[in-house]
Amino acid sequence: MIINIEKLNLEIDGQVLLKDMNFHMEKGEIVALVGESGSGKTLTTKFILGILPERSIIHYEKFEKNCKIGAVFQNAFISLNPTIKIGSQLKRLYESHYGNDGKWKEEVTALLEKVGIKEIDKFLKKYPHETSGGERQRVVIAGALIGKPEVLIADEVTTALDMRTKREVITLFKNIRKELGISILFISHDLDSIKNFADRACVMYKGNIVEENSCEEIFEHQEHPYVKRLIGFSKTLWTRGE
């Protein structure tokens, strides 16, 4: 296992937000952590990344993290400085990892090509507001890959995107796993995003994982009442959209 958490309990300002939570991830997997807002998905990722608020009270029996991790969050526009050109931002990010600018242009260009950015020399001279939402998300993904992570955490990265762009980003993550061998922890409240994407789904409810299985199996058979409602609601939406 590259990530293993056993009996994680997390409390902030007297409120228990994660309770006896267990989670694991194997090398090469795409794992989807799904559930409604407030279920504990993002808190779990922040625990893994070590970026919880100082006032957090944390207890766990085991936490193993045997990998280098990169992360992409929901709002790509917030992740980018609106006053600095994209090329300069990616150069600084490269320097933060390697201590010098070295072959930043060569490596950043290769990553931008992998995430589907065209006319890269021209693109690097743009400010974030001069790009589309999908392009900004691709830039942030490329930035997360600069440090050569073994696990990429994607937290609600398709939430603000239209359906076409959402599908393009999902395809992009599939290609990243295939080409670079990176494991992906995909956080979402949108079951449509994971249906033909993740290897395994973990459904969170009130601070715990209440059900986990292969994506194929969890869409066909559910045990927990909350998961049954969640899948049933999603199937209704898919049927209406056909």
Side-chain angles (χ1 to χ4, degrees):
M1 281 182 281
I2 52 176
I3 297 175
N4 185 35
I5 300 169
E6 294 183 10
K7 294 191 178 299
L8 170 63
N9 291 272
L10 171 65
E11 179 182 323
I12 298 179
D13 297 334
Q15 186 177 4
V16 177
L17 300 173
L18 297 176
K19 186 175 181 181
D20 289 337
M21 201 198 80
N22 299 312
F23 173 79
H24 73 278
M25 191 169 178
E26 303 287 347
K27 185 175 182 179
E29 271 193 310
I30 296 179
V31 178
L33 194 58
V34 299
E36 61 193 12
S37 297
S39 60
K41 306 185 304 296
T42 295
L43 277 176
T44 300
T45 62
K46 286 184 175 181
F47 169 76
I48 293 170
L49 292 167
I51 56 173
L52 285 165
E54 290 185 4
R55 64 186 188 278
S56 304
I57 299 173
I58 306 165
H59 298 285
Y60 53 84
E61 287 191 2
K62 183 182 286 187
F63 175 41
E64 297 174 332
K65 184 172 64 173
N66 305 309
C67 56
K68 191 174 182 181
I69 299 176
V72 183
F73 295 99
Q74 178 177 344
N75 194 327
F77 195 76
I78 292 175
S79 300
L80 296 169
N81 189 322
T83 67
I84 300 175
K85 292 180 180 180
I86 287 170
S88 297
Q89 294 191 56
L90 292 174
K91 181 180 178 182
R92 291 180 184 181
L93 190 55
Y94 181 94
E95 290 172 336
S96 72
H97 282 288
Y98 302 107
N100 58 72
D101 58 12
K103 298 181 179 180
W104 83 270
K105 184 75 175 294
E106 180 182 328
E107 295 206 19
V108 163
T109 296
L111 287 173
L112 289 175
E113 287 175 348
K114 283 187 186 298
V115 300
I117 296 295
K118 309 295 183 183
E119 299 181 336
I120 292 172
D121 284 339
K122 182 178 178 181
F123 188 83
L124 290 173
K125 296 174 183 177
K126 291 183 177 182
Y127 290 95
H129 71 271
E130 297 175 315
T131 64
S132 69
E135 286 174 330
R136 289 192 290 271
Q137 196 61 276
R138 290 169 188 270
V139 169
V140 173
I141 292 168
L145 295 173
I146 286 175
K148 297 179 172 60
E150 298 156 88
V151 173
L152 184 61
I153 294 177
D155 192 348
E156 299 283 10
V157 295
T158 60
T159 298
L161 304 177
D162 60 62
M163 188 59 68
R164 182 181 64 83
T165 307
K166 181 187 297 186
R167 288 172 179 162
E168 289 176 356
V169 170
I170 292 295
T171 299
L172 171 59
F173 277 108
K174 287 181 180 179
N175 293 337
I176 287 171
R177 196 265 289 266
K178 183 178 179 180
E179 293 181 24
L180 302 179
I182 291 176
S183 307
I184 297 172
L185 176 54
F186 193 82
I187 317 301
S188 182
H189 67 274
D190 179 9
L191 290 172
D192 186 47
S193 297
I194 70 160
K195 191 178 180 185
N196 299 305
F197 172 47
D199 301 312
R200 181 161 54 92
C202 302
V203 183
M204 289 200 74
Y205 178 63
K206 293 185 177 180
N208 209 336
I209 293 175
V210 295
E211 196 160 335
E212 66 176 290
N213 213 324
S214 68
C215 264
E216 180 179 335
E217 191 64 24
I218 211 161
F219 279 105
E220 293 300 323
H221 307 287
Q222 309 89 38
E223 298 294 331
H224 194 277
Y226 170 73
V227 185
K228 289 182 179 181
R229 291 197 305 271
L230 194 66
I231 299 295
F233 178 67
S234 295
K235 284 182 176 179
T236 300
L237 291 179
W238 295 330
T239 302
R240 288 177 182 172
E242 289 176 352

